[in-house]
Amino acid sequence: MVRVAVLGAAGGIGQPLSLLIKLNKDVTALHMYDIVRCPGVAADISHINTNSTVSAFQGNDSLKDCLTGMDIVVIPAGVPRKPGMTRDDLFGVNAGIVRDLIQAVSDNCPKALVCIISNPVNSTVPIAAEILKKNGVYDPKRLFGVSTLDIVRASRFVRDIRPSFDASTQIPVIGGHSGNTIVPILSHIQNLVNLSEDEIKTVTHRIQFGGDEVVQAKNGEGSATLSMAYAGYRFVSSLISAINGQPATECCYVDLSVDPAGAEYYRQLGASDLAFFSVNTSIGPDGITSILPLASISSFEKELVKAAVSPITSNIAAGVSFVNK
Ligand code: NAD
Ligand code: LMR
């Protein structure tokens, strides 16, 4: 009995993500919101014979009806990168989009679990937190930056160099979601794959810059959409299971104040005073229940954490000052 809204539902990610959510038998209502193309896309998906109902919402005036009563809100609204751009280059457009959508969440479904996909995630999540705080409805347990695509890529890219590795094995990825803020913890699978130092460096770099591969291959037509829809759905389906009483474990970009004791492990690694960081979490029906430590981390990975701190600090500061300026 879970109701899910997708904001940006007619986009490259929004369409396949909505399709996957429509297939989930635990979803009763799927609300699809966008500023364009939404009625057609929603009508199309609504014919699929699962029990959930699908409704289309287009334009600002429909946000209230779209969001009221929602358990989960997923936000892939915003512009994607073109070759030569960084995710931070999207801030100018996407910061305002996320701010306005989160204002509507604050007004209409402040208890929903909110998943932010829109880039730059390292900044859009702090923006969302600031807006929720301003409205007096912030609960850090319920706000997630979706970094699952990094985790999906990590397993797949290891499989590319070790064909015996099962690509469904999860590899934790911590830090943030851009370039060298992405910190894959390959030491978790070292006993299975025995990667050389050079292989670790090469595959780590590929995971960190995997998004660029897709941006370049699409050559101006956007960034990852189908793999992101898969990753986003994997995360949303974990939340749906958690709401239905089956706790989930997921790495995601969260407010570390959600569990100060659990966050201490990451602070000791070098995450120092950061407010947000992607960490391993346990998730229950009301959101994050605890921040979990990693089973192991190598000295190489600890150095990567240290390198991630400065860019994430700037990304968070940019988000916070955007809201408070
Ligand atoms: P897209 O352009 O194909 O789709 C975006 C959709 O958002 C469009 O349908 C557009 O109409 C809609 N939109 C724009 N303004 C809106 C608003 N105010 N309210 C509601 N909808 C609005 O882009 P895409 O490829 O789907 O990517 C969307 C975002 O996701 C980008 O910012 C991209 O960088 C990001 N992304 C994140 C990850 C991740 O791992 N977190 C992965 C891939 C892409
Ligand atoms: C990704 O990792 O594929 C996304 O963040 C999109 C991008 O801009 O690379």
Side-chain angles (χ1 to χ4, degrees):
M1 298 292 286
V2 179
R3 293 153 295 182
V4 185
V6 179
L7 312 183
I13 297 167
Q15 290 197 33
L17 176 59
S18 299
L19 170 64
L20 293 169
I21 293 169
K22 174 67 176 135
L23 301 182
N24 187 303
K25 292 192 172 64
D26 293 324
V27 172
T28 50
L30 171 61
H31 284 192
M32 299 177 64
Y33 173 85
D34 207 302
I35 50 171
V36 291
R37 293 190 301 271
C38 213
V41 174
D44 190 354
I45 288 185
S46 76
H47 288 191
I48 293 169
N49 64 324
T50 52
N51 289 337
S52 54
T53 53
V54 178
S55 311
F57 301 87
Q58 187 160 300
N60 213 30
D61 291 347
S62 67
L63 263 177
K64 183 178 192 305
D65 288 341
C66 170
L67 291 172
T68 303
M70 290 298 108
D71 301 301
I72 298 175
V73 178
V74 197
I75 308 187
V79 291
R81 283 197 287 163
K82 290 186 190 301
M85 293 172 80
T86 68
R87 291 177 184 80
D88 290 344
D89 294 332
L90 304 173
F91 187 100
V93 178
N94 290 352
I97 292 175
V98 170
R99 175 197 58 202
D100 296 348
L101 292 174
I102 294 293
Q103 180 59 48
V105 168
S106 305
D107 294 341
N108 299 297
C109 57
K111 295 268 181 217
L113 303 180
V114 178
C115 311
I116 310 276
I117 293 174
S118 317
N119 271 317
V121 167
N122 293 0
S123 300
T124 50
V125 175
I127 288 172
E130 288 302 303
I131 296 292
L132 293 160
K133 278 182 207 165
K134 272 185 182 295
N135 288 287
V137 294
Y138 184 45
D139 179 354
K141 295 196 299 294
R142 298 172 186 274
L143 178 63
F144 312 89
V146 181
S147 55
T148 320
L149 183 52
D150 303 322
I151 295 148
V152 166
R153 284 181 177 137
S155 309
R156 182 57 240 175
F157 294 171
V158 169
R159 166 93 192 187
D160 281 347
I161 56 169
R162 282 289 183 283
S164 59
F165 178 69
D166 178 356
S168 68
T169 308
Q170 293 224 21
I171 298 169
V173 180
I174 64 171
H177 176 67
S178 67
N180 73 343
T181 73
I182 296 170
V183 181
I185 308 296
L186 297 172
S187 52
H188 266 233
I189 49 143
Q190 245 324 41
N191 61 334
L192 299 174
V193 290
N194 195 22
L195 299 172
S196 69
E197 228 172 85
D198 275 355
E199 285 174 322
I200 289 172
K201 283 191 182 142
T202 304
V203 80
T204 295
H205 186 271
R206 189 171 177 213
I207 296 160
Q208 291 182 319
F209 295 92
D212 296 19
E213 287 183 20
V214 183
V215 170
Q216 276 151 25
K218 289 197 173 178
N219 196 21
E221 300 286 323
S223 56
T225 54
L226 301 173
S227 51
M228 181 59 230
Y230 167 76
Y233 176 67
R234 209 172 93 174
F235 189 76
V236 170
S237 65
S238 284
L239 297 188
I240 293 170
S241 300
I243 288 173
N244 284 331
Q246 206 182 326
T249 302
E250 291 286 349
C251 282
C252 43
Y253 185 71
V254 302
D255 183 335
L256 292 180
S257 74
V258 75
D259 175 12
E264 192 52 33
Y265 169 82
Y266 294 89
R267 297 203 185 284
Q268 296 292 329
L269 289 183
S272 56
D273 296 331
L274 281 179
F276 292 86
F277 205 64
S278 189
V279 292
N280 201 16
T281 65
S282 179
I283 302 172
D286 298 318
I288 296 164
T289 49
S290 58
I291 292 177
L292 305 170
L294 300 167
S296 62
I297 181 162
S298 68
S299 50
F300 172 68
E301 290 154 356
K302 284 183 187 164
E303 289 307 312
L304 296 180
V305 169
K306 289 194 183 118
V309 170
S310 166
I312 296 177
T313 304
S314 310
N315 293 153
I316 295 170
V320 171
S321 75
F322 172 76
V323 176
N324 295 311
K325 69 179 182 253

mmCIF file of all heavy atoms in Angstrom, residues 7-14 33-37 75-81 87 90 94 97 101 116-121 146-150 153 177 222-225 228, ligand 1:
data_model
loop_
_atom_site.group_PDB
_atom_site.id
_atom_site.type_symbol
_atom_site.label_atom_id
_atom_site.label_comp_id
_atom_site.label_asym_id
_atom_site.label_seq_id
_atom_site.Cartn_x
_atom_site.Cartn_y
_atom_site.Cartn_z
ATOM 1 N N LEU A 7 8.599 13.339 -9.768
ATOM 2 C CA LEU A 7 8.584 14.732 -10.242
ATOM 3 C C LEU A 7 9.678 14.887 -11.302
ATOM 4 O O LEU A 7 10.863 14.709 -11.002
ATOM 5 C CB LEU A 7 8.822 15.700 -9.078
ATOM 6 C CG LEU A 7 7.986 15.471 -7.804
ATOM 7 C CD1 LEU A 7 8.280 16.559 -6.767
ATOM 8 C CD2 LEU A 7 6.495 15.411 -8.121
ATOM 9 N N GLY A 8 9.240 15.194 -12.539
ATOM 10 C CA GLY A 8 10.159 15.125 -13.681
ATOM 11 C C GLY A 8 9.897 13.820 -14.417
ATOM 12 O O GLY A 8 10.779 13.246 -15.064
ATOM 13 N N ALA A 9 8.628 13.368 -14.326
ATOM 14 C CA ALA A 9 8.255 12.013 -14.761
ATOM 15 C C ALA A 9 8.262 11.824 -16.273
ATOM 16 O O ALA A 9 8.272 10.688 -16.749
ATOM 17 C CB ALA A 9 6.871 11.668 -14.209
ATOM 18 N N ALA A 10 8.247 12.920 -17.031
ATOM 19 C CA ALA A 10 8.215 12.768 -18.489
ATOM 20 C C ALA A 10 9.605 12.828 -19.101
ATOM 21 O O ALA A 10 9.759 12.822 -20.327
ATOM 22 C CB ALA A 10 7.314 13.847 -19.104
ATOM 23 N N GLY A 11 10.644 12.886 -18.265
ATOM 24 C CA GLY A 11 12.008 13.028 -18.771
ATOM 25 C C GLY A 11 12.675 11.700 -19.077
ATOM 26 O O GLY A 11 12.072 10.626 -18.988
ATOM 27 N N GLY A 12 13.953 11.807 -19.432
ATOM 28 C CA GLY A 12 14.729 10.631 -19.818
ATOM 29 C C GLY A 12 14.812 9.603 -18.704
ATOM 30 O O GLY A 12 14.762 8.395 -18.952
ATOM 31 N N ILE A 13 14.970 10.059 -17.473
ATOM 32 C CA ILE A 13 14.953 9.129 -16.324
ATOM 33 C C ILE A 13 13.514 8.878 -15.899
ATOM 34 O O ILE A 13 13.120 7.739 -15.616
ATOM 35 C CB ILE A 13 15.739 9.723 -15.125
ATOM 36 C CG1 ILE A 13 17.206 9.904 -15.488
ATOM 37 C CG2 ILE A 13 15.598 8.833 -13.888
ATOM 38 C CD1 ILE A 13 17.989 10.767 -14.500
ATOM 39 N N GLY A 14 12.731 9.951 -15.821
ATOM 40 C CA GLY A 14 11.384 9.864 -15.263
ATOM 41 C C GLY A 14 10.513 8.809 -15.931
ATOM 42 O O GLY A 14 9.775 8.081 -15.244
ATOM 43 N N TYR A 33 4.409 13.713 -12.330
ATOM 44 C CA TYR A 33 4.358 15.173 -12.479
ATOM 45 C C TYR A 33 5.478 15.646 -13.388
ATOM 46 O O TYR A 33 6.622 15.196 -13.279
ATOM 47 C CB TYR A 33 4.505 15.858 -11.108
ATOM 48 C CG TYR A 33 4.630 17.360 -11.218
ATOM 49 C CD1 TYR A 33 3.494 18.165 -11.302
ATOM 50 C CD2 TYR A 33 5.885 17.987 -11.259
ATOM 51 C CE1 TYR A 33 3.607 19.551 -11.431
ATOM 52 C CE2 TYR A 33 6.000 19.363 -11.386
ATOM 53 C CZ TYR A 33 4.861 20.146 -11.474
ATOM 54 O OH TYR A 33 4.976 21.506 -11.610
ATOM 55 N N ASP A 34 5.150 16.578 -14.276
ATOM 56 C CA ASP A 34 6.183 17.246 -15.082
ATOM 57 C C ASP A 34 5.597 18.576 -15.551
ATOM 58 O O ASP A 34 4.399 18.850 -15.350
ATOM 59 C CB ASP A 34 6.607 16.368 -16.287
ATOM 60 C CG ASP A 34 8.040 16.663 -16.744
ATOM 61 O OD1 ASP A 34 8.330 17.824 -17.090
ATOM 62 O OD2 ASP A 34 8.870 15.732 -16.746
ATOM 63 N N ILE A 35 6.455 19.382 -16.174
ATOM 64 C CA ILE A 35 5.937 20.646 -16.716
ATOM 65 C C ILE A 35 5.561 20.496 -18.195
ATOM 66 O O ILE A 35 4.974 21.391 -18.779
ATOM 67 C CB ILE A 35 6.949 21.806 -16.510
ATOM 68 C CG1 ILE A 35 8.346 21.407 -17.003
ATOM 69 C CG2 ILE A 35 7.020 22.196 -15.046
ATOM 70 C CD1 ILE A 35 9.343 22.579 -17.033
ATOM 71 N N VAL A 36 5.912 19.369 -18.794
ATOM 72 C CA VAL A 36 5.555 19.080 -20.200
ATOM 73 C C VAL A 36 5.250 17.584 -20.367
ATOM 74 O O VAL A 36 5.671 16.770 -19.535
ATOM 75 C CB VAL A 36 6.718 19.422 -21.179
ATOM 76 C CG1 VAL A 36 6.943 20.919 -21.282
ATOM 77 C CG2 VAL A 36 8.006 18.715 -20.768
ATOM 78 N N ARG A 37 4.558 17.234 -21.437
ATOM 79 C CA ARG A 37 4.396 15.838 -21.915
ATOM 80 C C ARG A 37 3.783 14.857 -20.932
ATOM 81 O O ARG A 37 3.736 13.653 -21.204
ATOM 82 C CB ARG A 37 5.763 15.236 -22.322
ATOM 83 C CG ARG A 37 6.451 15.826 -23.506
ATOM 84 C CD ARG A 37 7.650 14.979 -23.916
ATOM 85 N NE ARG A 37 8.639 14.821 -22.866
ATOM 86 C CZ ARG A 37 9.653 15.650 -22.658
ATOM 87 N NH1 ARG A 37 9.832 16.674 -23.450
ATOM 88 N NH2 ARG A 37 10.493 15.458 -21.665
ATOM 89 N N ILE A 75 12.658 12.621 -7.204
ATOM 90 C CA ILE A 75 12.833 13.849 -7.995
ATOM 91 C C ILE A 75 13.983 13.719 -9.005
ATOM 92 O O ILE A 75 15.153 13.932 -8.665
ATOM 93 C CB ILE A 75 13.068 15.070 -7.069
ATOM 94 C CG1 ILE A 75 11.961 15.142 -6.007
ATOM 95 C CG2 ILE A 75 13.147 16.344 -7.891
ATOM 96 C CD1 ILE A 75 11.984 16.382 -5.135
ATOM 97 N N PRO A 76 13.658 13.352 -10.251
ATOM 98 C CA PRO A 76 14.653 13.426 -11.316
ATOM 99 C C PRO A 76 14.415 14.635 -12.231
ATOM 100 O O PRO A 76 14.798 14.615 -13.410
ATOM 101 C CB PRO A 76 14.427 12.108 -12.077
ATOM 102 C CG PRO A 76 12.953 11.843 -11.924
ATOM 103 C CD PRO A 76 12.461 12.585 -10.693
ATOM 104 N N ALA A 77 13.793 15.699 -11.715
ATOM 105 C CA ALA A 77 13.504 16.889 -12.536
ATOM 106 C C ALA A 77 14.769 17.714 -12.706
ATOM 107 O O ALA A 77 15.549 17.857 -11.773
ATOM 108 C CB ALA A 77 12.429 17.730 -11.853
ATOM 109 N N GLY A 78 14.947 18.259 -13.907
ATOM 110 C CA GLY A 78 16.080 19.158 -14.104
ATOM 111 C C GLY A 78 16.840 18.850 -15.363
ATOM 112 O O GLY A 78 16.542 17.878 -16.056
ATOM 113 N N VAL A 79 17.827 19.689 -15.670
ATOM 114 C CA VAL A 79 18.571 19.499 -16.912
ATOM 115 C C VAL A 79 19.752 18.549 -16.690
ATOM 116 O O VAL A 79 20.353 18.522 -15.630
ATOM 117 C CB VAL A 79 19.088 20.847 -17.482
ATOM 118 C CG1 VAL A 79 17.936 21.690 -17.981
ATOM 119 C CG2 VAL A 79 19.924 21.617 -16.479
ATOM 120 N N PRO A 80 20.064 17.742 -17.739
ATOM 121 C CA PRO A 80 21.243 16.865 -17.679
ATOM 122 C C PRO A 80 22.463 17.539 -18.320
ATOM 123 O O PRO A 80 22.344 18.572 -18.972
ATOM 124 C CB PRO A 80 20.788 15.661 -18.500
ATOM 125 C CG PRO A 80 19.822 16.206 -19.506
ATOM 126 C CD PRO A 80 19.221 17.463 -18.930
ATOM 127 N N ARG A 81 23.620 16.906 -18.136
ATOM 128 C CA ARG A 81 24.874 17.455 -18.684
ATOM 129 C C ARG A 81 24.988 17.251 -20.184
ATOM 130 O O ARG A 81 24.406 16.336 -20.748
ATOM 131 C CB ARG A 81 26.067 16.716 -18.060
ATOM 132 C CG ARG A 81 26.392 17.135 -16.689
ATOM 133 C CD ARG A 81 27.793 16.687 -16.321
ATOM 134 N NE ARG A 81 27.951 15.267 -16.084
ATOM 135 C CZ ARG A 81 29.118 14.642 -16.076
ATOM 136 N NH1 ARG A 81 30.233 15.313 -16.342
ATOM 137 N NH2 ARG A 81 29.199 13.350 -15.809
ATOM 138 N N ARG A 87 28.908 18.315 -13.302
ATOM 139 C CA ARG A 87 27.581 18.328 -12.669
ATOM 140 C C ARG A 87 27.327 19.681 -12.006
ATOM 141 O O ARG A 87 26.196 20.168 -11.988
ATOM 142 C CB ARG A 87 27.464 17.200 -11.656
ATOM 143 C CG ARG A 87 27.443 15.800 -12.290
ATOM 144 C CD ARG A 87 27.394 14.732 -11.219
ATOM 145 N NE ARG A 87 27.465 13.383 -11.743
ATOM 146 C CZ ARG A 87 28.605 12.785 -12.113
ATOM 147 N NH1 ARG A 87 29.762 13.439 -12.065
ATOM 148 N NH2 ARG A 87 28.584 11.528 -12.553
ATOM 149 N N LEU A 90 25.359 22.381 -13.674
ATOM 150 C CA LEU A 90 23.885 22.287 -13.725
ATOM 151 C C LEU A 90 23.227 23.057 -12.584
ATOM 152 O O LEU A 90 22.011 23.252 -12.578
ATOM 153 C CB LEU A 90 23.455 20.811 -13.642
ATOM 154 C CG LEU A 90 24.050 19.877 -14.711
ATOM 155 C CD1 LEU A 90 23.671 18.428 -14.407
ATOM 156 C CD2 LEU A 90 23.575 20.273 -16.106
ATOM 157 N N ASN A 94 19.245 23.748 -11.956
ATOM 158 C CA ASN A 94 18.593 22.709 -11.146
ATOM 159 C C ASN A 94 18.373 23.098 -9.687
ATOM 160 O O ASN A 94 17.448 22.596 -9.041
ATOM 161 C CB ASN A 94 19.395 21.409 -11.233
ATOM 162 C CG ASN A 94 19.292 20.777 -12.617
ATOM 163 O OD1 ASN A 94 18.503 21.237 -13.446
ATOM 164 N ND2 ASN A 94 20.068 19.753 -12.877
ATOM 165 N N ILE A 97 14.973 24.554 -9.440
ATOM 166 C CA ILE A 97 13.926 23.537 -9.669
ATOM 167 C C ILE A 97 13.729 22.705 -8.394
ATOM 168 O O ILE A 97 12.606 22.505 -7.922
ATOM 169 C CB ILE A 97 14.313 22.629 -10.868
ATOM 170 C CG1 ILE A 97 14.271 23.436 -12.175
ATOM 171 C CG2 ILE A 97 13.401 21.411 -10.947
ATOM 172 C CD1 ILE A 97 14.745 22.676 -13.406
ATOM 173 N N LEU A 101 10.374 22.497 -5.931
ATOM 174 C CA LEU A 101 9.665 21.223 -5.752
ATOM 175 C C LEU A 101 9.659 20.816 -4.275
ATOM 176 O O LEU A 101 8.659 20.300 -3.765
ATOM 177 C CB LEU A 101 10.303 20.132 -6.621
ATOM 178 C CG LEU A 101 10.118 20.347 -8.137
ATOM 179 C CD1 LEU A 101 10.897 19.301 -8.933
ATOM 180 C CD2 LEU A 101 8.634 20.311 -8.528
ATOM 181 N N ILE A 116 16.341 12.412 -3.945
ATOM 182 C CA ILE A 116 16.802 13.423 -4.895
ATOM 183 C C ILE A 116 17.760 12.790 -5.900
ATOM 184 O O ILE A 116 18.821 12.264 -5.515
ATOM 185 C CB ILE A 116 17.545 14.575 -4.185
ATOM 186 C CG1 ILE A 116 16.732 15.120 -3.015
ATOM 187 C CG2 ILE A 116 17.955 15.657 -5.181
ATOM 188 C CD1 ILE A 116 15.701 16.131 -3.353
ATOM 189 N N ILE A 117 17.384 12.856 -7.164
ATOM 190 C CA ILE A 117 18.243 12.366 -8.251
ATOM 191 C C ILE A 117 18.887 13.549 -8.987
ATOM 192 O O ILE A 117 20.012 13.452 -9.481
ATOM 193 C CB ILE A 117 17.408 11.491 -9.222
ATOM 194 C CG1 ILE A 117 16.966 10.199 -8.522
ATOM 195 C CG2 ILE A 117 18.180 11.191 -10.498
ATOM 196 C CD1 ILE A 117 16.015 9.319 -9.326
ATOM 197 N N SER A 118 18.194 14.688 -9.044
ATOM 198 C CA SER A 118 18.651 15.852 -9.813
ATOM 199 C C SER A 118 20.053 16.282 -9.385
ATOM 200 O O SER A 118 20.332 16.432 -8.196
ATOM 201 C CB SER A 118 17.699 17.034 -9.596
ATOM 202 O OG SER A 118 16.358 16.625 -9.636
ATOM 203 N N ASN A 119 20.904 16.517 -10.379
ATOM 204 C CA ASN A 119 22.286 16.939 -10.121
ATOM 205 C C ASN A 119 22.416 18.451 -10.005
ATOM 206 O O ASN A 119 21.586 19.173 -10.566
ATOM 207 C CB ASN A 119 23.179 16.455 -11.276
ATOM 208 C CG ASN A 119 23.723 15.069 -11.022
ATOM 209 O OD1 ASN A 119 24.148 14.763 -9.923
ATOM 210 N ND2 ASN A 119 23.716 14.239 -12.066
ATOM 211 N N PRO A 120 23.453 18.927 -9.343
ATOM 212 C CA PRO A 120 24.482 18.175 -8.624
ATOM 213 C C PRO A 120 23.983 17.703 -7.257
ATOM 214 O O PRO A 120 23.710 18.524 -6.378
ATOM 215 C CB PRO A 120 25.624 19.189 -8.463
ATOM 216 C CG PRO A 120 24.955 20.536 -8.495
ATOM 217 C CD PRO A 120 23.719 20.391 -9.332
ATOM 218 N N VAL A 121 23.877 16.389 -7.098
ATOM 219 C CA VAL A 121 23.307 15.794 -5.874
ATOM 220 C C VAL A 121 24.013 16.314 -4.618
ATOM 221 O O VAL A 121 23.374 16.560 -3.599
ATOM 222 C CB VAL A 121 23.398 14.244 -5.964
ATOM 223 C CG1 VAL A 121 23.120 13.593 -4.616
ATOM 224 C CG2 VAL A 121 22.417 13.728 -6.999
ATOM 225 N N VAL A 146 20.284 10.160 -4.094
ATOM 226 C CA VAL A 146 20.384 8.821 -4.710
ATOM 227 C C VAL A 146 21.732 8.690 -5.434
ATOM 228 O O VAL A 146 21.960 9.327 -6.468
ATOM 229 C CB VAL A 146 19.212 8.586 -5.677
ATOM 230 C CG1 VAL A 146 19.312 7.182 -6.289
ATOM 231 C CG2 VAL A 146 17.880 8.767 -4.961
ATOM 232 N N SER A 147 22.600 7.867 -4.873
ATOM 233 C CA SER A 147 23.920 7.616 -5.479
ATOM 234 C C SER A 147 24.040 6.156 -5.932
ATOM 235 O O SER A 147 25.137 5.662 -6.167
ATOM 236 C CB SER A 147 25.019 7.968 -4.474
ATOM 237 O OG SER A 147 24.824 7.256 -3.263
ATOM 238 N N THR A 148 22.894 5.498 -6.053
ATOM 239 C CA THR A 148 22.874 4.056 -6.356
ATOM 240 C C THR A 148 23.535 3.729 -7.693
ATOM 241 O O THR A 148 24.048 2.623 -7.878
ATOM 242 C CB THR A 148 21.415 3.554 -6.385
ATOM 243 O OG1 THR A 148 20.687 4.183 -5.340
ATOM 244 C CG2 THR A 148 21.334 2.054 -6.245
ATOM 245 N N LEU A 149 23.527 4.688 -8.638
ATOM 246 C CA LEU A 149 24.128 4.391 -9.940
ATOM 247 C C LEU A 149 25.631 4.119 -9.794
ATOM 248 O O LEU A 149 26.194 3.300 -10.519
ATOM 249 C CB LEU A 149 23.866 5.555 -10.916
ATOM 250 C CG LEU A 149 24.372 5.377 -12.349
ATOM 251 C CD1 LEU A 149 23.904 4.059 -12.977
ATOM 252 C CD2 LEU A 149 23.920 6.557 -13.213
ATOM 253 N N ASP A 150 26.263 4.784 -8.843
ATOM 254 C CA ASP A 150 27.691 4.532 -8.605
ATOM 255 C C ASP A 150 27.902 3.094 -8.125
ATOM 256 O O ASP A 150 28.888 2.443 -8.480
ATOM 257 C CB ASP A 150 28.240 5.523 -7.562
ATOM 258 C CG ASP A 150 28.026 6.963 -7.999
ATOM 259 O OD1 ASP A 150 28.171 7.236 -9.202
ATOM 260 O OD2 ASP A 150 27.696 7.798 -7.144
ATOM 261 N N ARG A 153 27.341 0.765 -11.078
ATOM 262 C CA ARG A 153 28.511 0.789 -11.976
ATOM 263 C C ARG A 153 29.682 0.025 -11.359
ATOM 264 O O ARG A 153 30.422 -0.672 -12.071
ATOM 265 C CB ARG A 153 28.951 2.241 -12.213
ATOM 266 C CG ARG A 153 28.064 2.977 -13.177
ATOM 267 C CD ARG A 153 28.553 4.400 -13.410
ATOM 268 N NE ARG A 153 27.702 5.048 -14.394
ATOM 269 C CZ ARG A 153 27.260 6.291 -14.286
ATOM 270 N NH1 ARG A 153 27.605 7.050 -13.257
ATOM 271 N NH2 ARG A 153 26.475 6.795 -15.222
ATOM 272 N N HIS A 177 28.450 12.322 -5.071
ATOM 273 C CA HIS A 177 28.117 11.823 -6.408
ATOM 274 C C HIS A 177 28.660 12.776 -7.480
ATOM 275 O O HIS A 177 27.914 13.454 -8.169
ATOM 276 C CB HIS A 177 26.602 11.620 -6.571
ATOM 277 C CG HIS A 177 26.237 11.195 -7.961
ATOM 278 N ND1 HIS A 177 26.596 9.974 -8.488
ATOM 279 C CD2 HIS A 177 25.589 11.853 -8.961
ATOM 280 C CE1 HIS A 177 26.182 9.896 -9.741
ATOM 281 N NE2 HIS A 177 25.566 11.025 -10.057
ATOM 282 N N GLY A 222 22.228 14.285 -23.676
ATOM 283 C CA GLY A 222 21.946 14.061 -22.261
ATOM 284 C C GLY A 222 22.900 13.082 -21.610
ATOM 285 O O GLY A 222 23.964 12.760 -22.139
ATOM 286 N N SER A 223 22.492 12.603 -20.437
ATOM 287 C CA SER A 223 23.362 11.726 -19.639
ATOM 288 C C SER A 223 22.631 10.414 -19.373
ATOM 289 O O SER A 223 21.612 10.123 -20.007
ATOM 290 C CB SER A 223 23.775 12.448 -18.353
ATOM 291 O OG SER A 223 22.654 12.875 -17.621
ATOM 292 N N ALA A 224 23.137 9.648 -18.418
ATOM 293 C CA ALA A 224 22.554 8.321 -18.151
ATOM 294 C C ALA A 224 21.074 8.444 -17.794
ATOM 295 O O ALA A 224 20.707 9.232 -16.921
ATOM 296 C CB ALA A 224 23.318 7.658 -17.008
ATOM 297 N N THR A 225 20.244 7.682 -18.469
ATOM 298 C CA THR A 225 18.806 7.696 -18.166
ATOM 299 C C THR A 225 18.323 6.277 -17.819
ATOM 300 O O THR A 225 17.660 6.073 -16.807
ATOM 301 C CB THR A 225 17.984 8.241 -19.358
ATOM 302 O OG1 THR A 225 18.322 7.498 -20.536
ATOM 303 C CG2 THR A 225 18.255 9.715 -19.594
ATOM 304 N N MET A 228 20.204 4.827 -14.914
ATOM 305 C CA MET A 228 19.781 5.607 -13.738
ATOM 306 C C MET A 228 18.377 5.208 -13.304
ATOM 307 O O MET A 228 18.077 5.141 -12.109
ATOM 308 C CB MET A 228 19.842 7.107 -14.039
ATOM 309 C CG MET A 228 19.435 7.963 -12.856
ATOM 310 S SD MET A 228 20.487 7.651 -11.408
ATOM 311 C CE MET A 228 19.269 7.384 -10.142
HETATM 312 P P1 NAD B 1 15.645 15.147 -18.981
HETATM 313 O O1 NAD B 1 15.878 16.505 -19.508
HETATM 314 O O2 NAD B 1 15.499 14.032 -19.953
HETATM 315 O O3 NAD B 1 14.364 15.129 -18.049
HETATM 316 C C1 NAD B 1 14.186 16.066 -17.048
HETATM 317 C C2 NAD B 1 12.719 16.318 -16.901
HETATM 318 O O4 NAD B 1 12.542 17.284 -15.857
HETATM 319 C C3 NAD B 1 12.049 16.898 -18.166
HETATM 320 O O5 NAD B 1 10.921 16.124 -18.524
HETATM 321 C C4 NAD B 1 11.643 18.288 -17.741
HETATM 322 O O6 NAD B 1 10.443 18.744 -18.349
HETATM 323 C C5 NAD B 1 11.465 18.098 -16.247
HETATM 324 N N1 NAD B 1 11.461 19.344 -15.492
HETATM 325 C C6 NAD B 1 12.175 20.476 -15.711
HETATM 326 N N2 NAD B 1 11.822 21.413 -14.822
HETATM 327 C C7 NAD B 1 10.885 20.859 -14.025
HETATM 328 C C8 NAD B 1 10.136 21.315 -12.923
HETATM 329 N N3 NAD B 1 10.273 22.553 -12.452
HETATM 330 N N4 NAD B 1 9.259 20.467 -12.354
HETATM 331 C C9 NAD B 1 9.111 19.208 -12.814
HETATM 332 N N5 NAD B 1 9.780 18.732 -13.860
HETATM 333 C C10 NAD B 1 10.652 19.545 -14.453
HETATM 334 O O7 NAD B 1 16.841 14.842 -17.962
HETATM 335 P P2 NAD B 1 17.241 13.424 -17.321
HETATM 336 O O8 NAD B 1 18.228 12.747 -18.203
HETATM 337 O O9 NAD B 1 16.008 12.704 -16.924
HETATM 338 O O10 NAD B 1 18.054 13.902 -16.021
HETATM 339 C C11 NAD B 1 17.390 14.566 -14.981
HETATM 340 C C12 NAD B 1 18.366 14.932 -13.871
HETATM 341 O O11 NAD B 1 18.907 13.747 -13.259
HETATM 342 C C13 NAD B 1 19.582 15.718 -14.344
HETATM 343 O O12 NAD B 1 19.864 16.747 -13.432
HETATM 344 C C14 NAD B 1 20.711 14.701 -14.331
HETATM 345 O O13 NAD B 1 21.974 15.292 -14.168
HETATM 346 C C15 NAD B 1 20.325 13.886 -13.131
HETATM 347 N N6 NAD B 1 20.927 12.555 -13.042
HETATM 348 C C16 NAD B 1 21.315 12.116 -11.810
HETATM 349 C C17 NAD B 1 21.860 10.866 -11.652
HETATM 350 C C18 NAD B 1 22.261 10.379 -10.292
HETATM 351 O O14 NAD B 1 22.986 9.392 -10.201
HETATM 352 N N7 NAD B 1 21.797 10.973 -9.208
HETATM 353 C C19 NAD B 1 22.047 10.038 -12.765
HETATM 354 C C20 NAD B 1 21.647 10.505 -14.015
HETATM 355 C C21 NAD B 1 21.094 11.778 -14.149
#
